[in-house]
Amino acid sequence: MKSLVMLSILLTPLLFSFSNAAVDPDSVYQSFIQCLPSQSTESLQTLSSIVYGSTANSSSYTTVLRAYIKNERLNRTSTPKPAVIITPTKESQVQAAVLCAKKIGVQIKIRSGGHDYEGISYISSDPNFVILDMFNFRSIHVNIAKETAVVGTGALLGELYYRIYEKSKVHAFPAGVSPTVGVGGHLSGGGYGTMLRKFGLAVDHVIDARIVDVNGRVLDRKSMGEDLFWAIRGGGGASFGVILSYTVKLVRVPEVNTIFRIMKTVSENASELVYKWQSVMANIDDDLFIRVLLQPVTVNRQRVGRASFIAHYLGDSDSLVALMTKNFPELGLRKEDCVEGSWIDAVLYWANFDNTTAPDVLLDRTSNINFGKRKSDYVQTPISVSGITSIFNKLVELGRLGFVFNPYGGRMNEIAADAAPFPHRAGNLFKIQYSIGWTDPALEVEINSLNQSRVMHDFMTPFVSKNPRGAFLNYRDLDIGVITGNGTNSYGEGQVYGKMYFMDNFDRLVKIKTAVDPDNFFRNEQSIPTLPGKSSGKSRKMMK
């Protein structure tokens, strides 16, 4: 196995393989400088200020490129780099960039927050690619009277939460716990947080969007039509165009929220507690979300398995303790284990800030950058106590990989599997995130870490969903399949990962993709493919 992982590491640049001859990056830069004014009413001076080339203005280029790389594993010298980075500040510049990329014949990658776990918003298998970096599109307009917010695709979740908090203490948005995740990728891939059992996914609350399509048109929900609007709410927006903004519906939350964290080792009946958790969370009050972390830890100089039960409850501690005493007494929750606060306090807690931190920390766009790898699975039948114990034992044996169990039930059971491209609704007990991170840049450490994730994924096969084995798009994992080359024969390859991410919704996504982007211009290593033989045959050759 180790030799296979070493081969994978060495071939990582070849996964992003050069299917076409690479063109001089300066040539691409000059082509954009010449093309953009022809597609815009703005001056060359204005347009050139948003274009960064690896040779033309290399220092600024490097700063912009690295600013939103969130995984050092994807920031090595050998990592493929874009010829050009375009940082638009207005919609017309996005339109011009799309039209010029088509004319020049380069692939365009779209980046909002940079948290893509495999970096495919800023890395490519095509040697001639550019990044359209949307970080300037971060305006947020909250309307409490209408209970809506219009959010730019480059805004971060923390910024959205803070702007809601500024206007109301009883409104929220049900999205992820990491404040530095970009809105664009989070929503276009599904998006969930600690309120999913109460309100469902983030995409279940998207009511409008603005997108630049392959023809350079700016479309909203009405003009794009319901099929495309459906597709960009969980089907991966970068397969269909450039998302400019989403309009979302806010939700109402109580003034008092409660959180707790209880940790138990295997010797403290962690296996039995996790087993009971599976049945409890399937039917307990929708206001309660309890995530479970399974980790190998050191206790008295011995490595053991530990489960951490971390909760967010939409209500006060008295009612939570009563609820847990009735439904999950084995966990032994006491009032002194609980911390009450507002919704924004719960946001800060889940983002790992202490209770003295002011909410404006959510406006900080910086984050700690380490090396990492993620995978995902879905569990549909309860895992036995012995099965959970074997999982703990395997985690301890491997050494550093951990699990995050996210419970479903509640509202997730009520929304149809085809209401959005995200299909994993009723019938799923919980989702698993495989998580491993490291700080040592040595290649041997990376080999070992990736090996741990793959070995554990194989180990979990008997416990997780089957035919197909489910996966979550926002926990991007190139191990489960990729489109190779320029995407010309992408349908067969796309089916492999597409069915895992989207189940029966994959076929509808392919039909929509074929209708709106028949030449597969908007593509990446795991994008939605077009139907075979449906391309209009337009040339993708580099403009001379």
Side-chain angles (χ1 to χ4, degrees), residues 394-441:
K394 191 66 176 179
L395 291 174
V396 170
E397 173 192 327
L398 291 173
R400 290 185 296 109
L401 182 131
F403 273 166
V404 182
F405 288 1
N406 294 290
Y408 276 24
R411 182 69 178 137
M412 291 295 285
N413 285 346
E414 300 168 356
I415 300 174
D418 61 358
F422 178 97
H424 312 289
R425 307 279 191 168
N428 292 284
L429 294 176
F430 58 97
K431 173 170 57 189
I432 300 176
Q433 181 188 76
Y434 299 65
S435 176
I436 188 166
W438 61 100
T439 58
D440 188 335

Side-chain angles (χ1 to χ4, degrees), residues 90-357:
K90 56 182 69 174
E91 291 183 352
S92 61
Q93 293 172 350
V94 177
Q95 294 173 278
V98 168
L99 293 173
C100 286
K102 285 179 61 182
K103 184 177 181 180
I104 295 167
V106 292
Q107 184 188 24
I108 196 166
K109 288 298 189 87
I110 306 158
R111 183 166 73 172
S112 56
H115 265 275
D116 188 302
Y117 285 138
E118 298 282 18
I120 63 174
S121 62
Y122 51 89
I123 299 174
S124 179
S125 57
D126 194 313
N128 305 313
F129 79 101
V130 301
I131 294 176
L132 187 60
D133 208 329
M134 300 295 290
F135 65 85
N136 287 316
F137 280 69
R138 55 179 185 252
S139 64
I140 300 170
H141 300 285
V142 176
N143 187 324
I144 293 300
K146 294 183 178 181
E147 298 184 310
T148 61
V150 180
V151 191
T153 191
L156 305 184
L157 292 181
E159 295 171 326
L160 172 59
Y161 297 157
Y162 184 81
R163 298 308 174 196
I164 296 170
Y165 157 78
E166 278 187 316
K167 298 286 185 71
S168 171
K169 304 304 182 282
V170 293
H171 285 83
F173 187 67
V177 301
S178 175
T180 57
V181 167
V183 166
H186 189 70
L187 267 64
S188 67
Y192 80 97
T194 62
M195 298 188 289
L196 90 163
R197 299 188 69 258
K198 179 69 172 183
F199 298 113
L201 303 175
V203 291
D204 298 327
H205 301 268
V206 172
I207 59 175
D208 206 342
R210 289 176 68 80
I211 184 173
V212 173
D213 75 354
V214 72
N215 298 310
R217 300 175 299 174
V218 176
L219 307 173
D220 61 9
R221 179 175 183 172
K222 182 177 180 180
S223 55
M224 78 176 75
E226 288 301 304
D227 277 343
L228 181 53
F229 181 66
W230 176 86
I232 63 174
R233 293 182 300 118
S239 291
F240 302 94
V242 183
I243 308 294
L244 301 169
S245 67
Y246 282 106
T247 301
V248 299
K249 190 72 173 175
L250 306 182
V251 299
R252 295 193 178 194
V253 293
E255 292 185 8
V256 177
N257 291 237
T258 305
I259 53 93
F260 71 76
R261 179 191 296 258
I262 293 178
M263 297 181 289
K264 299 288 185 180
T265 63
V266 170
S267 64
E268 297 171 312
N269 297 321
S271 296
E272 289 79 4
L273 290 171
V274 174
Y275 174 74
K276 179 65 181 290
W277 169 87
Q278 295 175 101
S279 60
V280 168
M281 294 311 300
N283 302 295
I284 204 167
D285 193 307
D286 299 354
D287 289 333
L288 178 61
F289 177 90
I290 305 177
R291 167 179 283 182
V292 181
L293 309 183
L294 272 59
Q295 299 165 293
V297 298
T298 300
V299 177
N300 296 327
R301 293 184 292 182
Q302 288 189 329
R303 296 292 280 175
V304 299
R306 184 182 71 190
S308 300
F309 298 82
I310 312 170
H312 180 194
Y313 177 63
L314 299 170
D316 61 36
S317 59
D318 288 334
S319 58
L320 174 57
V321 171
L323 180 67
M324 291 292 288
T325 300
K326 177 182 178 181
N327 293 276
F328 198 180
E330 296 87 348
L331 192 59
L333 180 68
R334 303 165 300 171
K335 186 175 175 64
E336 50 264 40
D337 298 319
C338 302
V339 178
E340 292 185 342
S342 65
W343 167 71
I344 205 70
D345 292 327
V347 167
L348 293 169
Y349 176 87
W350 277 82
N352 295 318
F353 294 109
D354 62 40
N355 58 11
T356 65
T357 305

Side-chain angles (χ1 to χ4, degrees), residues 474-488:
N474 276 358
Y475 293 169
R476 181 84 67 182
D477 179 10
L478 294 184
D479 290 345
I480 67 174
V482 296
I483 289 175
T484 57
N486 63 9
T488 303

Side-chain angles (χ1 to χ4, degrees), residues 3 75 142 191 292 353 367 397 444 539:
S3 61
N75 191 29
V142 176
V292 181
F353 294 109
S367 57
E397 173 192 327
E444 279 295 317
S539 173

Side-chain angles (χ1 to χ4, degrees), residues 53-54 79 95 185 229 241 245 267 318 341 348 361 370 377 410 433 449 471 498 500 509-510 518:
S54 58
T79 304
Q95 294 173 278
F229 181 66
S245 67
S267 64
D318 288 334
L348 293 169
V361 72
N370 292 317
D377 260 317
Q433 181 188 76
S449 299
M500 296 176 74
L509 286 167
V510 170

